[in-house]
Amino acid sequence: MHNLLPGVEGFMYPNEMELQWSVLIVLYPFITGLVAGAFILASLERVFNLEAIRPTYRLALLTALAFLIVAPLPLQLHLGHPERSIEMFLTPHKTSAMAMFGFVYLWYLLAVLVIEIWLEYRPYIVARAQSAAGWSRWFYRAATLGSYNLSPRALRIDDRIGRLITVVGIPSAFLLHGYVGFIFGSIKANPWWSTPLMPIVFLFSAIVSGIAAVLLIYFVYCLARGIPLDMPCLDAMGKFLFYAFLVDFGLEMLDLVHRNYEADESLKTLSFMVETRLFGSQIVLQIIVGTLAPLLLLGLTQLLSLTEAARKGLYATAGALTLIGIFAMRWNVVIGGQLFSKSFLGYTTYKMEFATREGLLPALVLIVLPFLILWALVRIFPPMLEYDPGRKPEANPALPAEPEA
Amino acid sequence: MSVDRRQFLADATKFLLLTGAAGQAWAFVAEGRPQDAPDYDIARHWWAMFIDIEKCIGCGRCVEACKIENDVPDEPFYFRTWVERYYIPARDVTSPRAEDHPKVDSPDGGRHGFPDIYPKEDGSKSFFVPKLCNHCAHSPCVQVCPVGATFESPDGVVLVDKDYCIGCRYCVQACPYGCRFIDPRTNTVDKCSLCYHRITKGLTTACCEVCPTGARQLGDLRNPADPIHELLRTHKVQVLKPNMATGSKVYYNGLDASVR
Amino acid sequence: MRAGFRDSEHLVRLALLFGVGVLLFLGARAVLVPADFGELGHFRTGALDDNRRRPVVHAGRAACAECHDTAAALAGGAHAKVGCEACHGALAAHAADPDAAAPPELEAKGLCVRCHGFNPARPASHPQVDPEAHAEGASCTDCHEAHSPAA
């Protein structure tokens, strides 16, 4: 059979010729990772009172929401029967790592993110419900839930509840993405996936990608709006990105060293795969371009005293490279895990289609979609309101300072 | 069908109802309503299979019969059962651990037999390994199904509910043996059902029915009279990938260390 | 107390909204979960019958013996334990209605070689020949009785 099929080398079990999980399943951990990372960045500010990154707080929350809305779409597109996905809620199988995704997702979306954003924007929502015209007035009025109470005491309660939700939200974000790692890490049949480090590696790479994404989005947002970049904020994010990345890289190296030292029966097969079929995406893109290069650039900003312009350039470049690297990491996990036979005797190839249900085109659409949603969200809930400097509800003018677009 | 024939079958049915379970089942098959075959007490069976590698001649009858019996898609990728040929080159000073480098092939799942492509008397070792779902007692595939569309039946068969499967393919990833595939016609997962439509009516599986050498034998571990108990007692058996602890119920006699 | 409620009224409204959502979910769940789900395990009990309902395609040797004296034909030979359908193909349709579906004609040589052609992977104890050298163009059944060949 291997003689007949291009791209197949050695022996695969006959049913293994076809790859089961496509580029869409690469997007799924990438997107949920961005959600978790952006939220954790926002939480740092809220829980630990890190004033420096305050300018990105709301942007990070909206980014998390935009990506979270898109997160289930690649899964739905991938399912053989999307119309049956409701069964995950009806009869979730408690031994299945996948079954809980729906609940974790809904919990995170509705109990954490939406409430936190709602509390954060309530003064704005109430103000717009009274001042806006047309359809948006109706939208904001519905969003008030019929309560216009912005008394200092009410806002103090909101702040306390918001803080509580953030505290709940951090483990939820850990759960959301650590859990995605567990979906892969718990498959004992697949030695490329099966490691208890997988959830932790996923989590740290999520934090890394979330910080990088918010940093870039903050860049673009300020440029587009003509708002000056807040340099202490950028410096703080650069620092977080650097240290989170160091931990992430350390964990991945630990995994690599451990695999090589234990050298179980899969090692030869897996290392051959990394040296050949995954060389471009793993060694070049993930490790060199997507990890070592941004670490070096970020390291420079930490070690040298550079000009603002130079730091901005380095942060933006490092952020972009980081996202490439993390995407490559997701690719190598999901696709790499399916390129070798579970007989350890052969390899197959992933041929990405284009305009099919699981092809490149829907993947590109799904990558662009969160940005469109974010663009809309930013219009509905402007992130740079100059109110509440110090989060003291009493000082809150509760009015938009920015011109509405 | 002539009246005589029908009458004959009816008589035969009455007669057979008093004899073997297979005959009982056959009566209902003949009448075109096999689903109504006689009482099958699900709690009194626990199915397994015994495969004797030393008897397998690689004729591929089992693969062919399975495809026909279970309407398995004809494309070369999909098999509920298949046969692999292992070839372990001669052991010499350059490869003292020749079993680390077996050559394995399974042209069209072994459905049409195996062309004699390896040298005859060269100090090598070669044999056939029939594969099918191991109907694990602790199935990794069942464990990961998010909705309960695949399950271990009370009589020990790992089955798929095609009307409930969402097609997420997690079970395909979780099976260590490569026994599952997605049926392109239904977009749901498919796998060996141990001919559940046969074994619950007193017939054996299609692969066992046609195996000319008796290399595959269905067994009922809850039936004290089943010959499988004697087979398991008198042979040194092994299961595939025992390190996976899947509780496989397909027992192999003469399994080589090189087999994965 | 009253003031306390007024200042957290919006949160109460939010909680009510959530409560309604949860109730709707529980209601939908009660309606949509198949009635026979979970009786014998985490699956639809009906799935067992669905799997049983598939038509039988191979009749099995017991069915052949209903009309054909297979015991006599196979007696004493090396093929005594070989199922009829191993060579004759799947014949449940024929067994159900002998007139409607006739068994296919068999081509002896290809059929015999399938099992008895030499292949080093076959167990040495299994009778095998090099068909060209062994038969010299003759048909297998010229010399061998297909149903009861000598061992």
Side-chain angles (χ1 to χ4, degrees):
Chain A
M1 181 168 283
H2 47 89
N3 302 326
L4 304 173
L5 283 163
V8 175
E9 194 181 317
F11 173 72
M12 311 276 302
Y13 296 133
N15 295 328
E16 280 182 326
M17 303 288 176
E18 259 184 354
L19 254 69
Q20 301 298 330
W21 285 353
S22 64
V23 63
L24 293 185
I25 307 298
V26 177
L27 279 185
Y28 158 64
F30 183 65
I31 289 176
T32 38
L34 291 176
V35 175
F39 181 82
I40 288 166
L41 181 70
S43 309
L44 284 178
E45 191 274 338
R46 189 80 192 251
V47 175
F48 300 108
N49 289 319
L50 292 168
E51 293 292 326
I53 55 171
R54 160 83 32 92
T56 63
Y57 172 68
R58 291 175 157 190
L59 203 53
L61 283 185
L62 296 178
T63 301
L65 182 60
F67 280 92
L68 192 62
I69 290 170
V70 176
L73 297 185
L75 299 180
Q76 286 289 346
L77 266 180
H78 162 81
L79 287 184
H81 284 272
E83 80 283 3
R84 295 181 188 168
S85 58
I86 180 94
E87 290 166 8
M88 285 233 209
F89 295 103
L90 300 179
T91 57
H93 192 198
K94 62 179 184 298
T95 64
S96 168
M98 194 184 272
M100 286 305 125
F101 176 74
F103 292 99
V104 172
Y105 174 84
L106 281 187
W107 164 262
Y108 191 72
L109 175 70
L110 297 175
V112 175
L113 213 42
V114 165
I115 296 187
E116 183 158 344
I117 291 174
W118 185 67
L119 291 174
E120 176 67 19
Y121 277 95
R122 220 169 61 78
Y124 178 74
I125 290 170
V126 170
R128 296 287 290 155
Q130 288 158 342
S131 67
W135 69 268
S136 60
R137 181 188 178 92
W138 289 103
F139 170 81
Y140 289 110
R141 282 177 82 162
T144 62
L145 298 182
S147 168
Y148 290 69
N149 186 351
L150 291 178
S151 73
R153 194 157 169 279
L155 291 179
R156 241 194 333 272
I157 292 173
D158 283 359
D159 186 48
R160 262 205 300 270
I161 299 284
R163 192 173 291 268
L164 177 75
I165 285 178
T166 314
V167 171
V168 175
I170 294 176
S172 300
F174 276 52
L175 184 67
L176 179 73
H177 206 66
Y179 164 82
V180 174
F182 189 78
I183 287 182
F184 294 94
S186 61
I187 295 298
K188 67 180 169 190
N190 190 320
W192 185 243
W193 291 344
S194 176
T195 157
L197 276 180
M198 192 65 94
I200 306 182
V201 169
F202 261 54
L203 189 58
F204 273 90
S205 55
I207 294 174
V208 168
S209 68
I211 298 174
V214 173
L215 189 139
L216 290 177
I217 288 169
Y218 178 61
F219 250 96
V220 173
Y221 181 81
C222 288
L223 285 177
R225 287 282 164 115
I227 303 169
L229 283 162
D230 184 316
M231 223 39 219
C233 173
L234 278 184
D235 287 335
M237 281 206 285
K239 188 185 269 177
F240 291 144
L241 183 56
F242 179 64
Y243 288 111
F245 218 157
L246 275 185
V247 175
D248 179 42
F249 186 56
L251 286 169
E252 293 203 33
M253 287 304 105
L254 176 60
D255 184 43
L256 191 74
V257 170
H258 190 262
R259 276 173 195 280
N260 276 279
Y261 195 82
E262 270 200 346
D264 71 12
E265 64 170 344
S266 65
L267 179 70
K268 269 187 201 165
T269 310
L270 297 184
S271 46
F272 180 77
M273 178 176 78
V274 171
E275 285 156 19
T276 54
R277 291 177 188 228
L278 283 187
F279 186 82
S281 59
Q282 175 111 354
I283 307 285
V284 177
L285 269 187
Q286 183 186 333
I287 296 182
I288 297 175
V289 176
T291 304
L292 295 177
L295 273 177
L296 183 75
L297 297 182
L298 291 168
L300 287 179
T301 65
Q302 301 300 307
L303 292 173
L304 309 175
S305 41
L306 301 164
T307 63
E308 278 198 6
R311 293 203 316 270
K312 281 181 194 168
L314 285 179
Y315 290 144
T317 316
L321 290 178
T322 301
L323 285 182
I324 293 173
I326 301 291
F327 183 83
M329 181 261 184
R330 310 297 192 220
W331 175 279
N332 294 323
V333 169
V334 175
I335 302 296
Q338 304 173 81
L339 293 183
F340 63 93
S341 168
K342 286 172 191 156
S343 68
F344 304 131
L345 293 169
Y347 306 88
T348 185
T349 313
Y350 174 49
K351 295 177 208 75
M352 188 157 45
E353 292 163 330
F354 183 67
T356 57
R357 194 164 73 143
E358 293 195 52
L360 180 61
L361 187 63
L364 290 174
V365 170
L366 288 176
I367 277 284
V368 174
L369 193 56
F371 293 100
L372 294 180
I373 294 175
L374 181 62
W375 177 79
L377 281 176
V378 162
R379 276 161 187 264
I380 300 168
F381 302 116
M384 297 296 162
L385 289 178
E386 284 309 318
Y387 87 104
D388 154 6
R391 206 176 291 287
K392 290 189 185 68
E394 294 83 353
N396 191 340
L399 283 171
E402 269 183 297
E404 272 303 292
Chain B
M1 189 189 281
S2 67
V3 175
D4 285 354
R5 170 76 193 163
R6 216 173 267 135
Q7 186 56 47
F8 170 80
L9 264 182
D11 293 346
T13 303
K14 278 181 208 133
F15 170 69
L16 283 164
L17 275 171
L18 302 170
T19 57
Q24 276 188 26
W26 177 247
F28 288 89
V29 175
E31 287 170 26
R33 46 187 191 94
Q35 68 274 17
D36 296 334
D39 296 343
Y40 171 77
D41 187 352
I42 200 165
R44 299 188 59 177
H45 305 271
W46 213 50
W47 298 104
M49 193 174 277
F50 178 84
I51 293 183
D52 195 342
I53 287 177
E54 283 158 23
K55 284 186 179 170
C56 181
I57 57 172
C59 65
R61 296 281 178 233
C62 49
V63 183
E64 177 75 7
C66 176
K67 283 246 183 194
I68 296 172
E69 180 74 35
N70 294 296
D71 189 25
V72 179
D74 239 0
E75 277 91 292
F77 300 127
Y78 310 116
F79 295 93
R80 285 179 169 209
T81 185
W82 69 98
V83 179
E84 294 166 5
R85 168 168 59 184
Y86 271 70
Y87 171 83
I88 296 155
R91 196 178 296 271
D92 60 23
V93 284
T94 57
S95 72
R97 275 188 60 86
E99 66 270 24
D100 288 348
H101 311 286
K103 284 194 172 72
V104 186
D105 67 340
S106 182
D108 200 3
R111 187 180 183 181
H112 307 293
F114 291 80
D116 181 11
I117 54 173
Y118 294 119
K120 200 173 168 185
E121 303 279 346
D122 64 342
S124 63
K125 173 162 80 173
S126 188
F127 50 87
F128 298 107
V129 185
K131 296 264 184 95
L132 72 160
C133 169
N134 290 272
H135 295 284
C136 308
H138 318 292
S139 302
C141 56
V142 171
Q143 181 185 30
V144 303
C145 175
V147 298
T150 188
F151 55 92
E152 291 155 28
S153 69
D155 43 356
V157 183
V158 176
L159 292 173
V160 173
D161 182 347
K162 287 208 151 202
D163 295 331
Y164 212 65
C165 173
I166 62 174
C168 72
R169 310 181 176 210
Y170 201 16
C171 56
V172 186
Q173 306 285 9
C175 173
Y177 310 103
C179 293
R180 288 172 166 258
F181 60 89
I182 295 289
D183 187 330
R185 298 165 303 189
T186 59
N187 281 327
T188 53
V189 78
D190 196 46
K191 65 176 285 295
C192 163
S193 63
L194 208 64
C195 283
Y196 200 67
H197 60 298
R198 299 175 59 90
I199 63 175
T200 54
K201 294 165 203 156
L203 299 165
T204 187
T205 65
C207 58
C208 291
E209 176 62 40
V210 302
C211 178
T213 63
R216 321 169 66 123
Q217 292 185 58
L218 180 74
D220 180 356
L221 296 175
R222 276 210 182 117
N223 175 3
D226 196 298
I228 194 170
H229 298 294
E230 190 61 9
L231 287 171
L232 294 178
R233 192 180 69 79
T234 52
H235 294 79
K236 313 288 184 291
V237 294
Q238 179 57 289
V239 295
L240 291 172
K241 299 191 181 182
N243 58 319
M244 289 284 159
T246 56
S248 165
K249 296 207 301 302
V250 173
Y251 298 94
Y252 285 87
N253 178 48
L255 193 68
D256 193 80
S258 60
V259 177
R260 287 289 170 276
Chain C
M1 190 61 216
R2 183 151 296 182
F5 172 74
R6 201 176 56 235
D7 286 335
S8 54
E9 186 197 350
H10 56 289
L11 295 172
V12 174
R13 285 169 185 253
L14 184 72
L16 282 176
L17 200 62
F18 262 75
V20 169
V22 169
L23 283 179
L24 278 178
F25 168 70
L26 291 177
R29 196 166 176 272
V31 174
L32 292 173
V33 174
D36 59 345
F37 198 97
E39 292 170 348
L40 297 172
H42 196 79
F43 61 96
R44 281 191 318 120
T45 311
L48 290 169
D49 280 336
D50 291 350
N51 273 282
R52 282 189 87 189
R53 208 164 285 132
R54 172 180 283 287
V56 168
V57 183
H58 289 78
R61 53 198 91 181
C64 308
E66 265 188 53
C67 303
H68 305 280
D69 193 357
T70 54
L74 297 169
H79 285 174
K81 288 182 176 170
V82 179
C84 311
E85 287 161 308
C87 298
H88 292 279
L91 286 170
H94 167 73
D97 186 350
D99 305 324
E105 288 292 321
L106 299 182
E107 191 272 304
K109 196 154 189 173
L111 203 57
C112 301
V113 168
R114 183 83 178 265
C115 292
H116 294 291
F118 178 77
N119 192 318
R122 291 192 161 147
S125 57
H126 182 71
Q128 303 164 62
V129 296
D130 175 349
E132 302 309 319
H134 177 79
E136 290 173 341
S139 169
C140 306
T141 46
D142 290 351
C143 304
H144 301 280
E145 166 54 46
H147 283 126
S148 60

